[in-house]
Amino acid sequence: MHNNNQKNKLLTTVYLLPTVVILLVFMIIPIIYTFYLSFFDWNLIAPNKNFVGLENYITIFTDAVNRKVLMNTFFYIILLLILNFIVPYFIAIIVQFFIGKMKGPYKVIFFIPSIFSLVVGAMLFSWIMNPVSGPLADVMKMIGLSIPNWTNSGGMAIVIVCLITNWKVFGYNFVLLLTGLGAIPKNLIDAAKIDRIPKWRVIWNIVLPLNKSIALYVWQIVKLNRTPCIKKLQRL
């Protein structure tokens, strides 16, 4: 028995070793080395590196351009979190536990934009939101209003970029969350109904904890979807 345990531990170590080596070489060591380089003034070419201590960090948080980049990125991430995670989660809960019927059409309607390219979505939104000749501008002109040139407005441009990204991935996140909610054992929900537990407590104490794995997966998707637009935000 003891020999079998040792053999299992050895096999586990052998199986995990390639992954550990890859993580060390391509992730952990580069991160540590990058942190080390952050204390130097170096152009990556010169043979000598000048130690500057915390000067690089001070510059990041005191420079006006860097502060604007950080604020734009933070604002974008918060909006993306709300639009791509919280809103589809909220709608999925309503469809699953308050509507109950016709779930199929909801999935189709919300998922249709996911089959289109993000480039198509960007072109579509650019046309709709065109402040001069877009259809939304024409409608606003009829009621005596106008659309600001959002491409030159930092805050509004971030909102539009978030809407374009949300239009593309909202349906995918919604379907995943709705599927996860549908996999929760129905007997638990029925038992809570018999005990006359309020629906909000059922959702908070039973549904959300049991659906945590799917929620974390969607959270990771939202985090990955934010990266393609970061460089755009830096120019706003």
Side-chain angles (χ1 to χ4, degrees), residues 177-230:
L177 292 167
L178 184 61
T179 303
L181 293 173
I184 295 175
K186 196 173 183 299
N187 60 329
L188 295 178
I189 308 298
D190 294 337
K193 290 181 179 178
I194 293 174
D195 293 336
R196 296 183 179 180
I197 298 176
K199 272 196 173 182
W200 70 268
R201 288 198 60 188
V202 174
I203 293 172
W204 184 259
N205 295 327
I206 298 176
V207 173
L208 295 183
L210 291 178
N211 198 44
K212 183 170 59 176
S213 59
I214 296 295
L216 289 176
Y217 175 71
V218 175
W219 173 273
Q220 292 299 321
I221 293 177
V222 173
K223 288 172 63 178
L224 291 174
N225 285 330
R226 78 171 188 259
T227 54
C229 299
I230 296 297

Tab-separated table of all heavy atoms in Angstrom, residues 177-230:
chain	number	residue	atom	x	y	z
A	177	LEU	N	-25.097	31.496	-18.841
A	177	LEU	CA	-25.651	31.697	-17.501
A	177	LEU	C	-27.031	31.054	-17.375
A	177	LEU	O	-27.345	30.437	-16.341
A	177	LEU	CB	-25.722	33.193	-17.192
A	177	LEU	CG	-24.366	33.898	-17.025
A	177	LEU	CD1	-24.542	35.411	-17.036
A	177	LEU	CD2	-23.679	33.456	-15.740
A	178	LEU	N	-27.852	31.170	-18.415
A	178	LEU	CA	-29.186	30.565	-18.374
A	178	LEU	C	-29.089	29.044	-18.330
A	178	LEU	O	-29.860	28.385	-17.613
A	178	LEU	CB	-29.990	31.011	-19.592
A	178	LEU	CG	-31.447	30.540	-19.649
A	178	LEU	CD1	-32.229	31.087	-18.458
A	178	LEU	CD2	-32.101	30.983	-20.957
A	179	THR	N	-28.128	28.476	-19.062
A	179	THR	CA	-27.926	27.029	-19.030
A	179	THR	C	-27.485	26.570	-17.647
A	179	THR	O	-27.940	25.541	-17.133
A	179	THR	CB	-26.879	26.618	-20.078
A	179	THR	OG1	-27.303	27.058	-21.382
A	179	THR	CG2	-26.697	25.107	-20.094
A	180	GLY	N	-26.591	27.337	-17.033
A	180	GLY	CA	-26.150	27.001	-15.679
A	180	GLY	C	-27.283	27.073	-14.666
A	180	GLY	O	-27.402	26.200	-13.794
A	181	LEU	N	-28.128	28.075	-14.802
A	181	LEU	CA	-29.275	28.193	-13.896
A	181	LEU	C	-30.256	27.037	-14.096
A	181	LEU	O	-30.854	26.550	-13.135
A	181	LEU	CB	-29.983	29.530	-14.130
A	181	LEU	CG	-29.198	30.789	-13.756
A	181	LEU	CD1	-29.953	32.033	-14.198
A	181	LEU	CD2	-28.925	30.841	-12.261
A	182	GLY	N	-30.400	26.595	-15.346
A	182	GLY	CA	-31.304	25.489	-15.619
A	182	GLY	C	-30.804	24.156	-15.098
A	182	GLY	O	-31.588	23.211	-14.942
A	183	ALA	N	-29.478	24.061	-14.826
A	183	ALA	CA	-28.900	22.808	-14.328
A	183	ALA	C	-29.006	22.669	-12.815
A	183	ALA	O	-28.649	21.618	-12.268
A	183	ALA	CB	-27.437	22.714	-14.750
A	184	ILE	N	-29.490	23.700	-12.138
A	184	ILE	CA	-29.648	23.620	-10.685
A	184	ILE	C	-30.772	22.635	-10.354
A	184	ILE	O	-31.847	22.695	-10.963
A	184	ILE	CB	-29.965	25.015	-10.100
A	184	ILE	CG1	-28.768	25.943	-10.317
A	184	ILE	CG2	-30.311	24.927	-8.623
A	184	ILE	CD1	-29.015	27.373	-9.899
A	185	PRO	N	-30.540	21.696	-9.433
A	185	PRO	CA	-31.564	20.683	-9.110
A	185	PRO	C	-32.909	21.314	-8.758
A	185	PRO	O	-32.995	22.160	-7.867
A	185	PRO	CB	-30.967	19.950	-7.910
A	185	PRO	CG	-29.490	20.137	-8.051
A	185	PRO	CD	-29.305	21.504	-8.657
A	186	LYS	N	-33.938	20.892	-9.472
A	186	LYS	CA	-35.266	21.481	-9.285
A	186	LYS	C	-35.860	21.138	-7.915
A	186	LYS	O	-36.675	21.907	-7.381
A	186	LYS	CB	-36.201	20.996	-10.395
A	186	LYS	CG	-37.473	21.824	-10.534
A	186	LYS	CD	-38.253	21.395	-11.764
A	186	LYS	CE	-39.484	22.282	-11.947
A	186	LYS	NZ	-40.409	22.209	-10.814
A	187	ASN	N	-35.430	20.011	-7.351
A	187	ASN	CA	-35.999	19.631	-6.058
A	187	ASN	C	-35.620	20.617	-4.957
A	187	ASN	O	-36.366	20.815	-3.999
A	187	ASN	CB	-35.567	18.211	-5.679
A	187	ASN	CG	-34.055	18.087	-5.571
A	187	ASN	OD1	-33.317	18.780	-6.262
A	187	ASN	ND2	-33.594	17.195	-4.714
A	188	LEU	N	-34.467	21.241	-5.073
A	188	LEU	CA	-34.080	22.259	-4.089
A	188	LEU	C	-34.998	23.477	-4.174
A	188	LEU	O	-35.410	24.033	-3.150
A	188	LEU	CB	-32.624	22.676	-4.314
A	188	LEU	CG	-31.555	21.604	-4.090
A	188	LEU	CD1	-30.173	22.158	-4.412
A	188	LEU	CD2	-31.593	21.108	-2.645
A	189	ILE	N	-35.285	23.887	-5.403
A	189	ILE	CA	-36.173	25.039	-5.595
A	189	ILE	C	-37.578	24.705	-5.105
A	189	ILE	O	-38.235	25.524	-4.433
A	189	ILE	CB	-36.194	25.456	-7.077
A	189	ILE	CG1	-34.768	25.662	-7.620
A	189	ILE	CG2	-37.016	26.712	-7.258
A	189	ILE	CD1	-34.010	26.745	-6.934
A	190	ASP	N	-38.053	23.495	-5.418
A	190	ASP	CA	-39.393	23.084	-4.980
A	190	ASP	C	-39.480	22.994	-3.460
A	190	ASP	O	-40.497	23.378	-2.855
A	190	ASP	CB	-39.749	21.731	-5.600
A	190	ASP	CG	-39.901	21.807	-7.113
A	190	ASP	OD1	-40.170	22.917	-7.613
A	190	ASP	OD2	-39.741	20.770	-7.775
A	191	ALA	N	-38.403	22.488	-2.831
A	191	ALA	CA	-38.394	22.412	-1.368
A	191	ALA	C	-38.456	23.808	-0.749
A	191	ALA	O	-39.144	24.021	0.261
A	191	ALA	CB	-37.144	21.681	-0.892
A	192	ALA	N	-37.760	24.763	-1.365
A	192	ALA	CA	-37.802	26.133	-0.857
A	192	ALA	C	-39.199	26.736	-1.028
A	192	ALA	O	-39.679	27.478	-0.160
A	192	ALA	CB	-36.765	26.986	-1.585
A	193	LYS	N	-39.874	26.391	-2.134
A	193	LYS	CA	-41.242	26.889	-2.330
A	193	LYS	C	-42.188	26.316	-1.280
A	193	LYS	O	-43.065	27.017	-0.767
A	193	LYS	CB	-41.723	26.524	-3.735
A	193	LYS	CG	-41.033	27.286	-4.851
A	193	LYS	CD	-41.586	26.868	-6.211
A	193	LYS	CE	-40.915	27.631	-7.338
A	193	LYS	NZ	-41.423	27.194	-8.674
A	194	ILE	N	-42.027	25.025	-0.983
A	194	ILE	CA	-42.886	24.397	0.031
A	194	ILE	C	-42.692	25.069	1.380
A	194	ILE	O	-43.650	25.276	2.136
A	194	ILE	CB	-42.575	22.891	0.116
A	194	ILE	CG1	-42.996	22.195	-1.182
A	194	ILE	CG2	-43.281	22.253	1.299
A	194	ILE	CD1	-42.603	20.742	-1.262
A	195	ASP	N	-41.451	25.430	1.701
A	195	ASP	CA	-41.159	26.112	2.964
A	195	ASP	C	-41.488	27.594	2.928
A	195	ASP	O	-41.230	28.312	3.899
A	195	ASP	CB	-39.674	25.936	3.311
A	195	ASP	CG	-39.335	24.497	3.632
A	195	ASP	OD1	-40.250	23.751	4.029
A	195	ASP	OD2	-38.151	24.103	3.474
A	196	ARG	N	-42.033	28.053	1.787
A	196	ARG	CA	-42.453	29.451	1.615
A	196	ARG	C	-41.297	30.432	1.847
A	196	ARG	O	-41.461	31.503	2.437
A	196	ARG	CB	-43.598	29.783	2.558
A	196	ARG	CG	-44.867	28.985	2.256
A	196	ARG	CD	-46.004	29.392	3.171
A	196	ARG	NE	-47.211	28.633	2.862
A	196	ARG	CZ	-48.371	28.782	3.513
A	196	ARG	NH1	-48.466	29.668	4.497
A	196	ARG	NH2	-49.415	28.047	3.165
A	197	ILE	N	-40.142	30.050	1.348
A	197	ILE	CA	-38.980	30.944	1.415
A	197	ILE	C	-39.103	31.969	0.288
A	197	ILE	O	-39.403	31.599	-0.849
A	197	ILE	CB	-37.668	30.139	1.268
A	197	ILE	CG1	-37.545	29.146	2.428
A	197	ILE	CG2	-36.457	31.062	1.224
A	197	ILE	CD1	-36.356	28.249	2.333
A	198	PRO	N	-38.903	33.241	0.559
A	198	PRO	CA	-39.012	34.264	-0.493
A	198	PRO	C	-38.066	33.973	-1.656
A	198	PRO	O	-36.978	33.434	-1.471
A	198	PRO	CB	-38.628	35.561	0.233
A	198	PRO	CG	-38.887	35.283	1.675
A	198	PRO	CD	-38.606	33.830	1.878
A	199	LYS	N	-38.514	34.357	-2.848
A	199	LYS	CA	-37.720	34.053	-4.037
A	199	LYS	C	-36.351	34.705	-3.994
A	199	LYS	O	-35.368	34.135	-4.473
A	199	LYS	CB	-38.478	34.498	-5.292
A	199	LYS	CG	-39.420	33.444	-5.833
A	199	LYS	CD	-39.842	33.758	-7.246
A	199	LYS	CE	-40.654	32.589	-7.828
A	199	LYS	NZ	-41.047	32.841	-9.227
A	200	TRP	N	-36.268	35.916	-3.447
A	200	TRP	CA	-34.967	36.590	-3.433
A	200	TRP	C	-33.974	35.850	-2.546
A	200	TRP	O	-32.770	35.804	-2.850
A	200	TRP	CB	-35.133	38.039	-2.966
A	200	TRP	CG	-35.492	38.206	-1.504
A	200	TRP	CD1	-36.742	38.295	-0.983
A	200	TRP	CD2	-34.583	38.294	-0.408
A	200	TRP	NE1	-36.682	38.437	0.384
A	200	TRP	CE2	-35.367	38.450	0.766
A	200	TRP	CE3	-33.199	38.275	-0.283
A	200	TRP	CZ2	-34.798	38.570	2.035
A	200	TRP	CZ3	-32.626	38.400	0.974
A	200	TRP	CH2	-33.425	38.540	2.119
A	201	ARG	N	-34.482	35.209	-1.467
A	201	ARG	CA	-33.590	34.418	-0.615
A	201	ARG	C	-33.189	33.115	-1.298
A	201	ARG	O	-32.064	32.638	-1.139
A	201	ARG	CB	-34.263	34.122	0.719
A	201	ARG	CG	-34.380	35.330	1.647
A	201	ARG	CD	-34.639	34.903	3.069
A	201	ARG	NE	-33.567	34.050	3.583
A	201	ARG	CZ	-33.619	33.418	4.753
A	201	ARG	NH1	-34.691	33.540	5.525
A	201	ARG	NH2	-32.612	32.667	5.149
A	202	VAL	N	-34.118	32.530	-2.054
A	202	VAL	CA	-33.789	31.319	-2.809
A	202	VAL	C	-32.677	31.618	-3.813
A	202	VAL	O	-31.715	30.855	-3.953
A	202	VAL	CB	-35.037	30.778	-3.533
A	202	VAL	CG1	-34.670	29.612	-4.440
A	202	VAL	CG2	-36.091	30.353	-2.521
A	203	ILE	N	-32.826	32.745	-4.498
A	203	ILE	CA	-31.814	33.122	-5.494
A	203	ILE	C	-30.475	33.417	-4.822
A	203	ILE	O	-29.416	32.970	-5.283
A	203	ILE	CB	-32.304	34.338	-6.304
A	203	ILE	CG1	-33.505	33.929	-7.165
A	203	ILE	CG2	-31.189	34.897	-7.176
A	203	ILE	CD1	-34.192	35.076	-7.852
A	204	TRP	N	-30.519	34.145	-3.711
A	204	TRP	CA	-29.274	34.572	-3.052
A	204	TRP	C	-28.575	33.410	-2.348
A	204	TRP	O	-27.340	33.301	-2.402
A	204	TRP	CB	-29.586	35.684	-2.065
A	204	TRP	CG	-28.361	36.251	-1.403
A	204	TRP	CD1	-27.896	35.984	-0.153
A	204	TRP	CD2	-27.452	37.187	-1.971
A	204	TRP	NE1	-26.752	36.686	0.109
A	204	TRP	CE2	-26.450	37.434	-0.994
A	204	TRP	CE3	-27.364	37.850	-3.198
A	204	TRP	CZ2	-25.385	38.316	-1.226
A	204	TRP	CZ3	-26.307	38.722	-3.420
A	204	TRP	CH2	-25.342	38.941	-2.446
A	205	ASN	N	-29.339	32.564	-1.673
A	205	ASN	CA	-28.741	31.515	-0.839
A	205	ASN	C	-28.597	30.163	-1.527
A	205	ASN	O	-27.823	29.320	-1.062
A	205	ASN	CB	-29.579	31.328	0.437
A	205	ASN	CG	-29.562	32.552	1.330
A	205	ASN	OD1	-28.573	33.265	1.400
A	205	ASN	ND2	-30.667	32.818	2.003
A	206	ILE	N	-29.352	29.940	-2.614
A	206	ILE	CA	-29.299	28.637	-3.286
A	206	ILE	C	-28.790	28.769	-4.726
A	206	ILE	O	-27.824	28.108	-5.112
A	206	ILE	CB	-30.689	27.966	-3.281
A	206	ILE	CG1	-31.146	27.695	-1.838
A	206	ILE	CG2	-30.656	26.659	-4.074
A	206	ILE	CD1	-32.551	27.122	-1.733
A	207	VAL	N	-29.447	29.626	-5.502
A	207	VAL	CA	-29.154	29.696	-6.932
A	207	VAL	C	-27.747	30.226	-7.208
A	207	VAL	O	-26.960	29.594	-7.929
A	207	VAL	CB	-30.203	30.566	-7.638
A	207	VAL	CG1	-29.815	30.795	-9.092
A	207	VAL	CG2	-31.578	29.914	-7.552
A	208	LEU	N	-27.419	31.382	-6.639
A	208	LEU	CA	-26.116	31.987	-6.922
A	208	LEU	C	-24.941	31.113	-6.473
A	208	LEU	O	-23.978	30.940	-7.236
A	208	LEU	CB	-26.037	33.381	-6.292
A	208	LEU	CG	-27.010	34.427	-6.854
A	208	LEU	CD1	-26.771	35.778	-6.204
A	208	LEU	CD2	-26.862	34.539	-8.371
A	209	PRO	N	-24.970	30.539	-5.262
A	209	PRO	CA	-23.849	29.652	-4.890
A	209	PRO	C	-23.722	28.423	-5.783
A	209	PRO	O	-22.602	28.020	-6.132
A	209	PRO	CB	-24.188	29.253	-3.441
A	209	PRO	CG	-25.047	30.353	-2.932
A	209	PRO	CD	-25.865	30.775	-4.110
A	210	LEU	N	-24.846	27.806	-6.168
A	210	LEU	CA	-24.780	26.605	-6.996
A	210	LEU	C	-24.358	26.916	-8.436
A	210	LEU	O	-23.855	26.033	-9.135
A	210	LEU	CB	-26.130	25.890	-6.999
A	210	LEU	CG	-26.548	25.237	-5.680
A	210	LEU	CD1	-27.925	24.611	-5.811
A	210	LEU	CD2	-25.531	24.176	-5.255
A	211	ASN	N	-24.573	28.139	-8.866
A	211	ASN	CA	-24.206	28.524	-10.231
A	211	ASN	C	-22.850	29.237	-10.271
A	211	ASN	O	-22.509	29.862	-11.271
A	211	ASN	CB	-25.290	29.433	-10.819
A	211	ASN	CG	-25.218	29.505	-12.327
A	211	ASN	OD1	-25.054	28.503	-13.007
A	211	ASN	ND2	-25.336	30.705	-12.874
A	212	LYS	N	-22.089	29.113	-9.202
A	212	LYS	CA	-20.840	29.871	-9.083
A	212	LYS	C	-19.826	29.492	-10.153
A	212	LYS	O	-19.110	30.360	-10.671
A	212	LYS	CB	-20.250	29.646	-7.691
A	212	LYS	CG	-18.980	30.432	-7.412
A	212	LYS	CD	-18.602	30.337	-5.947
A	212	LYS	CE	-18.373	28.894	-5.521
A	212	LYS	NZ	-17.914	28.789	-4.113
A	213	SER	N	-19.737	28.210	-10.502
A	213	SER	CA	-18.725	27.779	-11.468
A	213	SER	C	-18.973	28.387	-12.845
A	213	SER	O	-18.039	28.875	-13.497
A	213	SER	CB	-18.709	26.249	-11.557
A	213	SER	OG	-19.982	25.756	-11.945
A	214	ILE	N	-20.228	28.392	-13.291
A	214	ILE	CA	-20.557	29.004	-14.582
A	214	ILE	C	-20.333	30.511	-14.531
A	214	ILE	O	-19.823	31.107	-15.489
A	214	ILE	CB	-22.017	28.698	-14.972
A	214	ILE	CG1	-22.215	27.203	-15.179
A	214	ILE	CG2	-22.409	29.450	-16.233
A	214	ILE	CD1	-21.438	26.625	-16.330
A	215	ALA	N	-20.697	31.121	-13.407
A	215	ALA	CA	-20.510	32.571	-13.261
A	215	ALA	C	-19.032	32.933	-13.340
A	215	ALA	O	-18.660	33.925	-13.981
A	215	ALA	CB	-21.116	33.049	-11.943
A	216	LEU	N	-18.176	32.146	-12.693
A	216	LEU	CA	-16.734	32.408	-12.752
A	216	LEU	C	-16.203	32.238	-14.169
A	216	LEU	O	-15.325	32.984	-14.607
A	216	LEU	CB	-15.996	31.477	-11.785
A	216	LEU	CG	-16.192	31.775	-10.294
A	216	LEU	CD1	-15.492	30.709	-9.451
A	216	LEU	CD2	-15.655	33.157	-9.938
A	217	TYR	N	-16.728	31.249	-14.892
A	217	TYR	CA	-16.306	31.044	-16.276
A	217	TYR	C	-16.683	32.249	-17.142
A	217	TYR	O	-15.860	32.746	-17.928
A	217	TYR	CB	-16.948	29.772	-16.823
A	217	TYR	CG	-16.664	29.527	-18.283
A	217	TYR	CD1	-15.399	29.156	-18.712
A	217	TYR	CD2	-17.673	29.667	-19.237
A	217	TYR	CE1	-15.133	28.936	-20.055
A	217	TYR	CE2	-17.421	29.456	-20.573
A	217	TYR	CZ	-16.153	29.086	-20.981
A	217	TYR	OH	-15.894	28.883	-22.311
A	218	VAL	N	-17.905	32.740	-16.990
A	218	VAL	CA	-18.336	33.913	-17.751
A	218	VAL	C	-17.520	35.133	-17.342
A	218	VAL	O	-17.166	35.968	-18.183
A	218	VAL	CB	-19.848	34.163	-17.544
A	218	VAL	CG1	-20.287	35.455	-18.225
A	218	VAL	CG2	-20.654	32.991	-18.075
A	219	TRP	N	-17.201	35.232	-16.061
A	219	TRP	CA	-16.356	36.330	-15.570
A	219	TRP	C	-15.012	36.323	-16.291
A	219	TRP	O	-14.503	37.383	-16.686
A	219	TRP	CB	-16.176	36.187	-14.065
A	219	TRP	CG	-15.204	37.136	-13.450
A	219	TRP	CD1	-13.860	36.962	-13.319
A	219	TRP	CD2	-15.485	38.416	-12.883
A	219	TRP	NE1	-13.286	38.042	-12.699
A	219	TRP	CE2	-14.263	38.940	-12.422
A	219	TRP	CE3	-16.657	39.148	-12.705
A	219	TRP	CZ2	-14.181	40.194	-11.815
A	219	TRP	CZ3	-16.576	40.388	-12.096
A	219	TRP	CH2	-15.355	40.894	-11.656
A	220	GLN	N	-14.424	35.145	-16.472
A	220	GLN	CA	-13.153	35.043	-17.181
A	220	GLN	C	-13.310	35.461	-18.637
A	220	GLN	O	-12.411	36.099	-19.208
A	220	GLN	CB	-12.614	33.607	-17.102
A	220	GLN	CG	-12.185	33.180	-15.710
A	220	GLN	CD	-11.071	34.032	-15.146
A	220	GLN	OE1	-10.150	34.434	-15.850
A	220	GLN	NE2	-11.149	34.307	-13.853
A	221	ILE	N	-14.433	35.118	-19.254
A	221	ILE	CA	-14.685	35.539	-20.632
A	221	ILE	C	-14.752	37.055	-20.720
A	221	ILE	O	-14.187	37.667	-21.639
A	221	ILE	CB	-15.988	34.910	-21.154
A	221	ILE	CG1	-15.835	33.395	-21.274
A	221	ILE	CG2	-16.377	35.510	-22.505
A	221	ILE	CD1	-17.097	32.691	-21.705
A	222	VAL	N	-15.428	37.684	-19.770
A	222	VAL	CA	-15.530	39.147	-19.750
A	222	VAL	C	-14.147	39.768	-19.616
A	222	VAL	O	-13.824	40.761	-20.275
A	222	VAL	CB	-16.454	39.602	-18.597
A	222	VAL	CG1	-16.430	41.118	-18.458
A	222	VAL	CG2	-17.879	39.111	-18.837
A	223	LYS	N	-13.302	39.188	-18.763
A	223	LYS	CA	-11.943	39.702	-18.593
A	223	LYS	C	-11.143	39.594	-19.883
A	223	LYS	O	-10.381	40.498	-20.236
A	223	LYS	CB	-11.233	38.936	-17.478
A	223	LYS	CG	-11.742	39.265	-16.085
A	223	LYS	CD	-11.155	38.343	-15.050
A	223	LYS	CE	-9.657	38.482	-14.951
A	223	LYS	NZ	-9.095	37.609	-13.898
A	224	LEU	N	-11.325	38.499	-20.620
A	224	LEU	CA	-10.597	38.324	-21.877
A	224	LEU	C	-11.107	39.270	-22.946
A	224	LEU	O	-10.332	39.767	-23.766
A	224	LEU	CB	-10.728	36.877	-22.357
A	224	LEU	CG	-9.996	35.817	-21.526
A	224	LEU	CD1	-10.342	34.420	-22.039
A	224	LEU	CD2	-8.487	36.028	-21.569
A	225	ASN	N	-12.409	39.556	-22.935
A	225	ASN	CA	-12.988	40.419	-23.964
A	225	ASN	C	-12.617	41.882	-23.783
A	225	ASN	O	-12.831	42.691	-24.681
A	225	ASN	CB	-14.516	40.294	-23.965
A	225	ASN	CG	-14.972	39.004	-24.598
A	225	ASN	OD1	-14.315	38.476	-25.481
A	225	ASN	ND2	-16.095	38.485	-24.146
A	226	ARG	N	-12.086	42.242	-22.618
A	226	ARG	CA	-11.750	43.647	-22.418
A	226	ARG	C	-10.429	44.016	-23.058
A	226	ARG	O	-10.180	45.180	-23.357
A	226	ARG	CB	-11.698	43.974	-20.927
A	226	ARG	CG	-10.429	43.507	-20.240
A	226	ARG	CD	-10.332	44.050	-18.814
A	226	ARG	NE	-9.031	43.755	-18.250
A	226	ARG	CZ	-8.778	42.779	-17.411
A	226	ARG	NH1	-9.762	41.991	-17.039
A	226	ARG	NH2	-7.576	42.571	-16.935
A	227	THR	N	-9.537	43.035	-23.288
A	227	THR	CA	-8.181	43.342	-23.732
A	227	THR	C	-8.089	43.924	-25.129
A	227	THR	O	-7.239	44.787	-25.360
A	227	THR	CB	-7.296	42.080	-23.641
A	227	THR	OG1	-7.927	41.018	-24.361
A	227	THR	CG2	-7.115	41.664	-22.194
A	228	PRO	N	-8.927	43.495	-26.143
A	228	PRO	CA	-8.727	44.046	-27.479
A	228	PRO	C	-8.971	45.539	-27.585
A	228	PRO	O	-8.492	46.157	-28.530
A	228	PRO	CB	-9.748	43.269	-28.334
A	228	PRO	CG	-10.037	42.037	-27.572
A	228	PRO	CD	-9.936	42.434	-26.133
A	229	CYS	N	-9.727	46.120	-26.649
A	229	CYS	CA	-10.081	47.543	-26.766
A	229	CYS	C	-9.217	48.446	-25.893
A	229	CYS	O	-9.392	49.657	-25.922
A	229	CYS	CB	-11.556	47.741	-26.390
A	229	CYS	SG	-12.690	46.838	-27.437
A	230	ILE	N	-8.294	47.890	-25.107
A	230	ILE	CA	-7.503	48.720	-24.206
A	230	ILE	C	-6.672	49.727	-24.971
A	230	ILE	O	-6.577	50.905	-24.609
A	230	ILE	CB	-6.601	47.837	-23.317
A	230	ILE	CG1	-7.465	46.966	-22.409
A	230	ILE	CG2	-5.666	48.692	-22.488
A	230	ILE	CD1	-8.315	47.719	-21.435
